[in-house]
Amino acid sequence: MATRRAAACAFGLAFSLIAGGCSTPQDPDWKGANQEPMSGDQLIQTDFNRTVTLAMRDNLASLYTLLDKLYRRNPNEWRKAGHASREAAVADVRALIEARRPPKGLAGFHDIQILSMALDPDYQDDRVAAFIYGLADTLITAHGGKTRFYVLDVLDGQHVYNAARNVEAAAWLLASRRTASGAPLLLANEMSATATNLSFEREFGAIIGRLDLVANLLGENMRRVGINYAQGLLLFNFLPVR
């Protein structure tokens, strides 16, 4: 009797937690899959394809957030490129990323090449544009040059894992490298007696977490294909002929 009463109490507690969780208001900034309208190409996406597509979407969104934040803290950078406003500079870099066209002066360079140049203290052009474009191109290149993924697409988990490590290195270099005069290459995170701003670190962490998850899922996905095939052989599952 006591055991049944304890089980009932546990069930009631679990139900209350679930119900409470369901009734909790959602974060207005949360990007759910339902925010993307249904499209015909989703019919040729597996659940895994959708997962990777959404992860890429959110990683690019994080980079665009970092782009805006860096321009806010470093307005001289967007002025170097001759933009009339920060908003115009953000829109221009986004268009370059979507077209996979490097910023001015970087034609012929790609992914980690551009990232390295952006983090070179001697680089004189718009460092924010080069930095964010280099990160975006690194992520897209690691995913086979695509931002949406379908049944026939094959991704390399090692490349995605390497991209995560590149983002870690870029975040560390951004925080630690200095110009010849000793100033930060770009103002980003701030920890002082008057202010604390770690929002840049959080965005970098979110990107790294998504990349690591996708890399792990890619490894597991291939492993499951092999296991499912072996199970089929062991269970003698014949294919229907009519």
Side-chain angles (χ1 to χ4, degrees), residues 167-226:
V167 175
E168 282 182 336
W172 184 82
L173 290 170
L174 181 67
S176 60
R177 275 200 177 165
R178 296 289 186 270
T179 64
S181 62
L185 292 181
L186 292 170
L187 295 175
N189 286 323
E190 179 182 5
M191 294 186 68
S192 66
T194 57
T196 299
N197 178 6
L198 298 178
S199 59
F200 293 88
E201 184 176 322
R202 287 195 294 271
E203 289 294 343
F204 280 121
I207 295 170
I208 293 164
R210 293 187 200 105
L211 290 171
D212 278 335
L213 176 61
V214 169
N216 287 331
L217 289 174
L218 282 167
E220 178 64 15
N221 194 46
M222 294 305 297
R223 191 176 74 90
R224 291 307 307 175
V225 168

Side-chain angles (χ1 to χ4, degrees), residues 122-240:
D122 294 329
Y123 186 72
Q124 298 298 315
D125 292 324
D126 183 346
R127 193 184 299 277
V128 170
F131 181 69
I132 296 299
Y133 183 91
L135 282 171
D137 203 46
T138 295
L139 267 58
I140 295 171
T141 299
H143 288 76
K146 298 183 177 183
T147 58
R148 297 183 70 84
F149 307 94
Y150 304 99
V151 173
L152 298 180
D153 289 329
V154 178
L155 298 178
D156 189 319
Q158 185 65 55
H159 290 165
V160 178
Y161 176 85
N162 291 348
R165 306 290 74 77
N166 287 340
V167 175
E168 282 182 336
W172 184 82
L173 290 170
L174 181 67
S176 60
R177 275 200 177 165
R178 296 289 186 270
T179 64
S181 62
L185 292 181
L186 292 170
L187 295 175
N189 286 323
E190 179 182 5
M191 294 186 68
S192 66
T194 57
T196 299
N197 178 6
L198 298 178
S199 59
F200 293 88
E201 184 176 322
R202 287 195 294 271
E203 289 294 343
F204 280 121
I207 295 170
I208 293 164
R210 293 187 200 105
L211 290 171
D212 278 335
L213 176 61
V214 169
N216 287 331
L217 289 174
L218 282 167
E220 178 64 15
N221 194 46
M222 294 305 297
R223 191 176 74 90
R224 291 307 307 175
V225 168
I227 290 174
N228 291 341
Y229 178 73
Q231 288 176 338
L233 292 177
L234 289 172
L235 297 174
F236 297 103
N237 287 334
F238 292 112
L239 298 175

Side-chain angles (χ1 to χ4, degrees), residues 27-161:
D27 184 339
D29 294 328
W30 181 73
K31 300 178 182 69
N34 291 334
Q35 289 188 358
E36 181 180 330
M38 187 66 181
S39 57
D41 70 334
Q42 292 182 26
L43 297 176
I44 53 175
Q45 289 183 317
T46 64
D47 290 346
F48 180 71
N49 295 149
R50 288 294 298 152
T51 298
V52 181
T53 297
L54 293 176
M56 176 61 81
R57 178 201 68 181
D58 290 350
N59 279 336
L60 289 176
S62 287
L63 288 179
Y64 297 147
T65 297
L66 287 169
L67 173 66
D68 185 65
K69 286 177 176 292
L70 285 170
Y71 272 145
R72 285 177 185 272
R73 297 215 67 198
N74 304 272
N76 286 338
E77 297 300 320
W78 58 260
R79 293 189 181 113
K80 287 179 183 178
H83 293 294
S85 66
R86 186 190 78 254
E87 293 81 3
V90 169
D92 183 63
V93 176
R94 288 188 62 155
L96 290 176
I97 291 171
E98 290 167 8
R100 300 202 72 190
R101 190 173 69 251
K104 182 180 177 180
L106 295 174
F109 296 98
H110 306 281
D111 48 80
I112 58 174
Q113 295 173 327
I114 295 177
L115 200 51
S116 296
M117 294 171 74
L119 292 166
D120 185 336
D122 294 329
Y123 186 72
Q124 298 298 315
D125 292 324
D126 183 346
R127 193 184 299 277
V128 170
F131 181 69
I132 296 299
Y133 183 91
L135 282 171
D137 203 46
T138 295
L139 267 58
I140 295 171
T141 299
H143 288 76
K146 298 183 177 183
T147 58
R148 297 183 70 84
F149 307 94
Y150 304 99
V151 173
L152 298 180
D153 289 329
V154 178
L155 298 178
D156 189 319
Q158 185 65 55
H159 290 165
V160 178
Y161 176 85

